[in-house]
Amino acid sequence: MPGIYDEPELYEAACAYRDIPGEVDALLRWSGKHRDSETGPLRSVLELAAGPAEHSRELARRGLDATTLDLSAAMCARARELAAADATPVTVVQADMRDFSLPRQFDLAITMLNSLCHLLTLDDLLQHLASVARHLAPGSLYITELAHPADFFAERRTSSEWSSEVDGGTVSVRWGGGSDEIDPVTQVTREHVSVTYRQRGGAVRTVTDVVPNRFWTATELTAAIRLAGGFAVAASYGDFDADTPVEAADAWRMILVLRREDEADRT
Ligand SMILES: C[S@@+](CC[C@H](N)C(=O)[O-])C[C@H]1O[C@@H](n2cnc3c(N)ncnc32)[C@H](O)[C@@H]1O
């Protein structure tokens, strides 16, 4: 049975609510603020678990040399197709973000839309951080956008059900929520996903899936980053459109800005 990541066009429609240029503005703003100025100008980006590569394609349109990585063959094919359609140069690699090896380093790495939830164990997260660190020069940044912990510990700040008007129709999404319960030991929720696309005056198509989602707390992430070595937390934010602290009552994302440390400074 194909899952939601095997259906990139439905996935894109489900995520069409995002303001990608606005999010890219924030990535560039944080990059300017937190990158070590001695690392030189920002020229290249590596996007992990990139799916259809919305952010990388926007960064490439703004002149960056962009590479994307995703485990799903269908997502990689879609990223290549979209990049070719608007003649945006993006290199697409099919690989596992838990352990990858590319023949070069980058000035910036990003992981968007809570994709670290697909790292289900501490070992997965440590291997991932080590892989990312190998691909960044000292002073470069790794920016990762996660779900806000309030979604799990307090009131939910993100919706689990929404609808959007997309080209030619309407998409209705359920992503988790409802009766999906977090496993109190593993912190993994088997999120029930359903995406229905209703073409105006025409066909209706639904894809359902069960997607495992590991909830990472802020303190677990901080501990894992220290344990992995190679990164220091330079900043954290709770939103894209302003420099909202992650602690703010209206913060709805947990965005960590990690700076690659110079190994020599650590000894
Ligand atoms: C929630 S989607 C996010 C896609 C994209 N970052 C975005 O902002 O739209 C998660 C993506 O992670 C990918 N993924 C899941 N596990 C992965 C792994 N171990 N390595 C690389 N990609 C993975 C999926 O194929 C999917 O494209």
Side-chain angles (χ1 to χ4, degrees), residues 24-100:
V24 165
D25 286 346
L27 293 172
L28 294 176
R29 187 172 71 245
W30 294 327
S31 231
K33 189 166 171 186
H34 299 294
R35 267 180 91 237
D36 187 338
S37 54
E38 287 175 19
T39 55
L42 178 67
R43 292 206 179 93
S44 58
V45 59
L46 171 63
E47 182 175 2
L48 302 155
E54 308 263 24
H55 297 80
S56 284
R57 286 186 287 111
E58 179 64 23
L59 285 161
R61 281 193 282 274
R62 299 188 195 192
L64 266 73
D65 170 3
T67 297
T68 70
L69 180 151
D70 200 281
L71 193 57
S72 151
M75 285 291 191
C76 290
R78 181 66 176 158
R80 283 191 195 101
E81 178 186 48
L82 290 169
D86 64 1
T88 311
V90 174
T91 302
V92 177
V93 178
Q94 188 185 353
D96 193 325
M97 67 172 155
R98 287 172 293 186
D99 187 15
F100 58 92

Side-chain angles (χ1 to χ4, degrees), residues 104-210:
R104 57 172 292 193
Q105 288 194 319
F106 299 85
D107 298 331
L108 171 68
I110 58 172
T111 305
M112 308 304 292
L113 200 59
N114 198 34
S115 296
L116 290 196
C117 77
H118 295 308
L119 303 173
L120 301 182
T121 66
L122 177 62
D123 284 339
D124 284 356
L125 179 56
L126 292 177
Q127 261 195 304
H128 168 78
L129 289 169
S131 289
V132 180
R134 282 196 301 275
H135 293 82
L136 290 175
S140 313
L141 300 182
Y142 177 28
I143 304 180
T144 179
E145 177 212 356
L146 292 118
H148 196 280
D151 281 355
F152 299 86
F153 284 135
E155 84 291 358
R156 232 191 128 96
R157 296 185 190 172
T158 52
S159 309
S160 53
E161 289 186 39
W162 67 93
S163 293
S164 320
E165 293 299 314
V166 290
D167 273 354
T170 306
V171 66
S172 309
V173 181
R174 179 209 159 176
W175 202 297
S179 55
D180 289 350
E181 283 183 8
I182 188 165
D183 181 308
V185 175
T186 61
Q187 293 175 202
V188 174
T189 307
R190 286 167 43 79
E191 293 195 316
H192 287 76
V193 173
S194 160
V195 180
T196 298
Y197 175 69
R198 291 183 181 80
Q199 199 177 11
R200 255 186 290 287
V204 178
R205 187 138 179 274
T206 298
V207 169
T208 58
D209 198 358
V210 180

